[in-house]
Amino acid sequence: MCAHNPPCPTAMAPDREAARPVAHRPEQGWSLLCNGVLAFEDTGELLPDGRIVAPHRPLALTVGSAA
């Protein structure tokens, strides 16, 4: 699917989000990557085979501790 050199990661690769966007709709909150992954701004993904990847934002770090 990807014609870039070097080729972008496949949709099943762990680093699939590194693929180049081919369509971007920031007002709607999504980008279509060249590997067929639909990436959403909340970090969720829709894979080409229809599987859903839940949003995976890093947890916010808290300053200080509750001692």
Side-chain angles (χ1 to χ4, degrees):
M1 192 173 215
C2 176
H4 300 115
N5 191 9
C8 293
T10 67
M12 299 305 146
D15 60 345
R16 64 181 154 259
E17 297 168 356
R20 293 186 189 181
V22 294
H24 183 64
R25 296 290 183 260
E27 69 280 3
Q28 296 177 355
W30 60 267
S31 296
L32 177 63
L33 306 180
C34 71
N35 57 8
V37 172
L38 193 57
F40 297 95
E41 68 180 15
D42 70 351
T43 69
E45 299 169 354
L46 180 61
L47 302 182
D49 64 2
R51 285 189 290 154
I52 296 169
V53 177
H56 47 278
R57 290 183 180 175
L59 296 175
L61 297 175
T62 57
V63 178
S65 63

